Amino acid sequence: MEPIRNALTKTDLKTSDFYYDLPEELIAQHPLAQRDASRLLVLNRADGSLAHRHFYDIVDYLKEGDVLVINDSKVIPARLYGHAEGRPEAKVELLLLRQRDLDTWECLVKPGKRARLGAGMVFGDGILHGTVTDIVEEGNRLIHFTYDKERFANIYAVLHRIGLMPLPPYITAQLQDNDRYQTVYAREEGSAAAPTAGLHFTPELLRRVRDKGVAIAPVMLHVGLGTFRPVKADRVDQHVMHTEFFSVPEESARIINERRAAGGRVVAVGTTSCRTLESAADESGKIHPVSGDTGIFIYPGYRFKAVDALITNFHLPESTLVMLVSAFYNRDAVLDAYRIAVEEKYRFFSFGDAMFIE
């Protein structure tokens, strides 16, 4: 299936139009002890109002008949440290980005000079071996892995034995509990980063959501490294998104379409769920069960077809995620909300606080 991209007319938007000042001390280095105790900044697009709440109050803003769409992709321990084959002193670091087939992955390799075609690597004291089979976009490598298949059921079992969680570069503190970089509903392994808006939900909070008459529909988008890549183009419309694999199950599509047809809102949990829904929607807003690659780039000027409300974290300045949120509301209102969040000392980025835009 060819990558799905939105066709937008070119604009004069500059990447710098999405900059805001953020003191470094507001970048959350640790998750809160209680997932749903994070703060929640609520923006109402109808009247322009703004409210300061806590995430467990999200139930107050959901309505009977709504459908909450979650991304159930699971982060894998995708960071590996090893050495060149036969050269223990030649250290190598890998970040597994995307599975191409059962045991072949697209990887980011440091240093790249040790990843020439045919180069071998060893990880976990010989538990895992890798061989570079191709060089792909932006210098990433395709690496074929071998391991003892009588000892390990699949490569995921190996990664859980020797891999580390691939925390974003702005988090410098050590994560004490890997489960805190997973949503409580994470199911399908394959992400190189967490769909972080969902980190705030607890099983109890999800139960309260259901008890209110809100349906919960899972979709899946495996989050790639592009999440952290800066926009280097001066003009927004010159930026090219990296593709990511997504899937919408038939049952989820049915629930979403039925709820929306009956007047309920589609509430996307995170930019990944939002991008998945917009990739799977036709022009009428109907969601189709589909799997494939999406490179959809949402920025101001985009017409949303399928999403009525958005739960999201606070994102990096000049990032594609700030652009998406600005498209959902408007740039000035979003950047003003970010300024207020800075003044009120909200916690930012992956382990930080959340925003609800209705």
Side-chain angles (χ1 to χ4, degrees):
M1 181 177 177
E2 286 298 310
I4 299 171
R5 301 184 188 277
N6 59 326
L8 295 179
T9 57
K10 292 186 177 182
T11 72
D12 293 326
L13 282 173
K14 298 181 176 63
T15 299
S16 58
D17 291 333
F18 298 89
Y19 177 81
Y20 67 92
D21 284 316
L22 179 67
E24 190 174 340
E25 62 267 21
L26 295 184
I27 300 174
Q29 293 296 315
H30 302 278
L32 293 180
Q34 182 182 335
R35 286 179 184 261
D36 60 359
S38 52
R39 297 168 76 184
L40 180 69
L41 186 62
V42 180
L43 303 182
N44 187 306
R45 294 182 294 171
D47 61 16
S49 64
L50 181 150
H52 301 283
R53 302 291 296 271
H54 286 90
F55 196 83
Y56 47 69
D57 298 320
I58 191 68
V59 179
D60 297 340
Y61 292 92
L62 300 176
K63 303 173 183 177
E64 183 179 356
D66 287 347
V67 55
L68 193 71
V69 181
I70 59 175
N71 179 8
D72 65 2
S73 180
K74 190 172 187 177
V75 186
I76 58 174
R79 195 177 299 279
L80 295 170
Y81 292 94
H83 59 82
E85 188 90 50
R87 298 171 57 204
E89 76 285 355
K91 304 301 182 184
V92 174
E93 176 186 346
L94 283 194
L95 181 62
L96 278 65
L97 301 177
R98 182 168 181 168
Q99 191 174 30
R100 292 297 187 92
D101 61 39
L102 187 61
D103 292 321
T104 301
W105 287 71
E106 181 179 344
C107 301
L108 177 66
V109 186
K110 296 180 181 179
K113 64 182 179 182
R114 292 189 181 142
R116 298 182 177 89
L117 283 175
M121 307 168 190
V122 181
F123 305 93
D125 294 327
I127 289 176
L128 184 67
H129 292 257
T131 303
V132 179
T133 61
D134 200 359
I135 299 176
V136 292
E137 61 176 338
E138 300 223 354
N140 294 340
R141 268 58 168 183
L142 288 189
I143 297 182
H144 180 74
F145 294 101
T146 57
Y147 49 91
D148 186 344
K149 295 193 175 181
E150 292 186 2
R151 184 179 176 189
F152 297 100
N154 51 43
I155 193 167
Y156 294 109
V158 180
L159 294 175
H160 283 290
R161 174 71 178 273
I162 65 174
L164 297 174
M165 292 300 266
L167 293 178
Y170 48 74
I171 295 178
T172 58
Q174 186 68 34
L175 182 62
Q176 299 302 314
D177 179 3
N178 282 351
D179 285 343
R180 291 308 309 273
Y181 196 55
Q182 302 279 18
T183 62
V184 298
Y185 45 74
R187 182 185 61 84
E188 187 166 346
E189 294 187 298
S191 276
T196 55
L199 295 178
H200 305 281
F201 283 97
T202 66
E204 168 62 18
L205 184 55
L206 291 169
R207 183 191 64 76
R208 290 175 57 207
V209 168
R210 290 189 179 94
D211 288 348
K212 192 162 184 178
V214 177
I216 298 177
V219 297
M220 189 277 294
L221 183 142
H222 286 325
V223 188
L225 191 66
T227 295
F228 307 127
R229 281 204 169 109
V231 178
K232 296 179 180 179
D234 291 331
R235 279 178 38 171
V236 169
D237 62 334
Q238 293 175 339
H239 177 69
V240 178
M241 291 285 283
H242 289 259
T243 60
E244 296 163 307
F245 182 77
F246 78 103
S247 179
V248 177
E250 187 172 345
E251 177 66 5
S252 292
R254 182 189 66 78
I255 292 170
I256 294 166
N257 291 330
E258 286 181 356
R259 288 276 171 144
R260 202 175 198 215
R265 298 176 303 171
V266 177
V267 182
V269 179
T271 56
T272 59
S273 296
C274 176
R275 292 177 65 238
T276 298
L277 289 168
E278 293 298 316
S279 296
D282 61 25
E283 287 303 311
S284 72
K286 182 179 179 180
I287 300 296
H288 295 270
V290 61
S291 295
D293 289 343
T294 180
I296 190 170
F297 181 19
I298 298 175
Y299 57 92
Y302 179 83
R303 184 182 66 82
F304 284 83
K305 304 185 292 290
V307 177
D308 303 304
L310 177 66
I311 298 171
T312 185
N313 278 18
F314 293 92
H315 305 294
L316 278 73
E318 300 184 337
S319 66
T320 61
L321 305 183
V322 167
M323 295 172 190
L324 183 153
V325 176
S326 296
F328 192 69
Y329 192 177
N330 70 61
R331 184 183 67 94
D332 291 342
V334 167
L335 291 182
D336 189 52
Y338 270 59
R339 178 187 57 77
I340 292 170
V342 169
E343 290 176 355
E344 296 292 328
K345 296 191 177 346
Y346 274 65
R347 301 166 74 248
F348 279 67
F349 305 162
S350 295
F351 288 141
D353 296 317
M355 177 184 287
F356 179 55
I357 308 176
E358 61 177 343

